[in-house]
Amino acid sequence: MPLDIIIGAQWGDEGKGRITDLLAQQAHIVARYSGGDNAGHTVAVGHETFKLHLIPSGIVHDGVLCVIGNGTVINPVVFLREIDGLAARGVDVSPARLKISRHAHLITPAHIALDKAAESALGKDAIGTTQRGIGPAYTDKANRTGLRAGLLANPEALGDAVLAHVEAKNEWLVKIHGAEALDGQAIAAEFAHYAQRIAPYLADTSVLLDEALQAGQSVLAEGAQGTLLDIDHGTYPFVTSSSPTAGGALTGLGLGPKVVGKVFGVAKAFSSRVGSGPFVTELQGEAAVRLRGTGANPWDEYGTTTGRPRRVGWLDLVVLRHAVRVNSLTDLVLTKLDILSGLPEIPVCVAYELDGQRLDHFPPEPELLERCQPIYETLPGWQEDVTGVRHLADLPANALNYIAFVAAHTRTAVSMASVGPEREQVAV
Ligand code: GDP
Ligand code: IMO
Ligand code: MG
């Protein structure tokens, strides 16, 4: 059985959590491979809604084993808060069901303080990070000065490492940013306490996943963030610090390409982005409110992690073609199709115009993206309520036409479309 990968095809918040939840019904293992608690994945099941940040969305399915892979960064406080919250709701979060790679990196209060200080120093040029310490933790990883989760099983080494880490970061916080120094002893003591609870979750997850695949089990890799937030393939520097794309799934789990089955790219039927950076099809005013919602519904476009209103715009097929290419997507999954119901017509961006030239791909220099204008084709809308549709063929003709247009312009099958936030609100 293969490793199927779920990737965000845009700027995150495409609905990866709910699609992971759907596909987890047929999986033995669900594994997160990149990012940390900058992610916010919403899974709605009946009257219950789960907002997951670090724990894979598969946790909602009894019997599914969950893995947090080596490519992730873990804030121990968030991990413990999240498992305690899930346990209080009757979810089994015992170490028998949930494994953390020893090679995942830890996020500390010093990383969070540095993230905030760096953002504040950038002023109007700030990236708009989630301020969860993600960038500084991956910086330490690349700089070979990070703290790996395996340390949690070695109390003595952990205490020394945390103390040295905070002292080193204090130099930056105080001398460069003029911020307050953190108390290394207190943080080391906190980490010693977290270690007692987290150590039983540690495992060699690369071996575990390989053995599971060899035994015929199926593994679902749950992406966080999205292709356009990828450190290499996104709208740099307005990106996150990890590799949410398909290559990152392999590096982030310790597996090779031979085991890959399907690669699902999840895309909203329109576009959204939180944080700064270029967004060619962005809308303002009334048109934006129509797509974002006012915040009255739980699915309106306000960040799961930060509560920030998301920037919204029409669907951008230049973005989706980019996602198809860098991830080798086998399938596209369109979410929130229901939000487009009732529009008389729907513009879709098919290419960009830059200085009078038509571009079918992103311009090579990220700065040029700011100057690109969308070239739209306008498709007829549909007035019908689609929230009860469960088969693609039963969608209104103009919704089917919209999906066919996306498939044709990306040369990729659209194998599912979601029509509401609930688990069963998917047309296949
Ligand atoms: P993720 O980060 O990719 O998992 O996505 P988020 O959970 O951050 O954001 C997606 C939002 O859209 C959540 O509030 C979901 O409940 C909601 N959602 C997902 N699919 C649909 C859909 O088909 N229709 C509607 N109305 N809401 C949806
Ligand atoms: P999910 O998994 C949407 C964005 C931030 C910011 C940039 C860098 O829910 O789709 P970071 O804190 O990672 O250094 O911030 O990336 N960002 C996300 N946007 N969904 C996410 O995750 C995101 N994770 C990070 O808003 O622009
Ligand atoms: Mg999200």
Side-chain angles (χ1 to χ4, degrees):
M1 296 286 273
L3 168 78
D4 289 338
I5 304 175
I6 294 177
I7 305 273
Q10 297 157 320
W11 282 279
D13 301 328
E14 299 90 346
K16 299 174 295 293
R18 62 87 44 91
I19 299 300
T20 302
D21 168 65
L22 186 79
L23 297 178
Q25 289 170 9
Q26 281 108 46
H28 296 93
I29 301 180
V30 176
R32 274 278 306 268
Y33 59 84
S34 73
D37 64 300
N38 47 350
H41 295 180
T42 315
V43 177
V45 190
H47 296 302
E48 294 232 66
T49 297
F50 296 88
K51 289 185 186 294
L52 299 153
H53 297 284
L54 205 43
I55 311 294
S57 300
I59 204 78
V60 177
H61 285 279
D62 288 341
V64 170
L65 180 72
C66 289
V67 167
I68 303 178
N70 57 274
T72 64
V73 284
I74 300 173
N75 180 335
V77 195
V78 174
F79 174 79
L80 292 172
R81 196 189 306 140
E82 200 162 331
I83 59 170
D84 288 345
L86 287 165
R89 296 172 72 176
V91 178
D92 177 6
V93 284
S94 65
R97 271 205 81 195
L98 180 58
K99 307 286 180 191
I100 296 178
S101 166
R102 291 174 193 279
H103 292 181
H105 277 246
L106 298 176
I107 296 178
T108 71
H111 289 135
I112 296 170
L114 278 171
D115 193 356
K116 291 180 177 166
E119 280 286 272
S120 146
L122 282 170
K124 66 170 182 37
D125 297 325
I127 289 161
T129 74
T130 59
Q131 307 208 343
R132 299 295 195 270
I134 305 295
Y138 279 113
T139 301
D140 271 350
K141 174 178 176 174
N143 199 31
R144 296 152 296 180
T145 49
L147 306 173
R148 302 217 282 192
L151 269 177
L152 297 171
N154 185 344
E156 212 168 297
L158 175 70
D160 292 345
V162 171
L163 208 53
H165 163 84
V166 177
E167 276 171 14
K169 298 304 172 215
N170 275 341
E171 291 278 309
W172 280 84
L173 282 169
V174 175
K175 292 188 184 153
I176 308 285
H177 294 295
E180 295 225 342
L182 299 173
D183 181 344
Q185 294 287 357
I187 295 173
E190 273 173 43
F191 269 61
H193 173 68
Y194 305 145
Q196 286 178 3
R197 288 194 62 198
I198 300 178
Y201 290 91
L202 297 175
D204 185 337
T205 52
S206 168
V207 171
L208 181 155
L209 292 169
D210 180 55
E211 287 178 354
L213 287 164
Q214 294 213 34
Q217 297 199 345
S218 61
V219 179
L220 197 55
E222 176 180 7
Q225 290 76 54
T227 301
L228 277 285
L229 291 173
D230 186 279
I231 184 91
D232 287 284
H233 304 294
T235 47
Y236 191 89
F238 299 100
V239 293
T240 190
S241 302
S242 65
S243 302
T245 42
L250 299 177
T251 317
L253 294 177
L255 297 169
K258 196 171 65 179
V259 297
V260 177
K262 290 200 163 249
V263 186
F264 294 94
V266 183
K268 259 176 209 166
F270 50 97
S271 303
S272 76
R273 140 163 240 178
V274 252
S276 317
F279 183 174
V280 175
T281 64
E282 183 169 17
L283 294 170
Q284 308 289 346
E286 283 291 298
V289 175
R290 172 63 182 78
L291 294 180
R292 181 187 302 120
T294 56
N297 303 304
W299 55 83
D300 287 350
E301 297 292 341
Y302 290 81
T304 313
T305 297
T306 58
R308 291 179 287 179
R310 296 178 186 145
R311 301 158 64 195
V312 291
W314 299 120
L315 188 64
D316 184 338
L317 296 177
V318 181
V319 164
L320 293 198
R321 284 196 296 268
H322 179 75
V324 166
R325 187 180 76 254
V326 303
N327 295 300
S328 286
L329 297 182
T330 59
D331 296 60
L332 276 168
V333 178
L334 277 191
T335 58
K336 298 193 87 165
L337 199 65
D338 50 304
I339 301 299
L340 299 184
S341 290
L343 290 167
E345 47 187 30
I346 311 172
V348 178
C349 173
V350 292
Y352 298 158
E353 188 183 309
L354 178 67
D355 300 335
Q357 299 267 38
R358 181 187 165 107
L359 300 183
D360 290 307
H361 302 290
F362 279 128
E365 305 303 332
E367 312 72 78
L368 297 179
L369 198 52
E370 292 280 7
R371 289 178 28 224
C372 286
Q373 294 299 319
I375 299 175
Y376 285 119
E377 282 192 31
T378 300
L379 305 186
W382 58 93
Q383 306 312 308
E384 295 88 337
D385 175 2
V386 294
T387 55
V389 175
R390 299 294 174 263
H391 300 290
L392 288 170
D394 296 336
L395 284 168
N398 285 346
L400 274 178
N401 179 48
Y402 188 80
I403 290 176
F405 188 85
V406 173
H409 279 258
T410 56
R411 298 184 188 197
T412 306
V414 177
S415 54
M416 286 182 259
S418 75
V419 290
E422 281 290 321
R423 182 180 275 173
E424 73 278 8
Q425 286 185 296
V426 176
V428 288

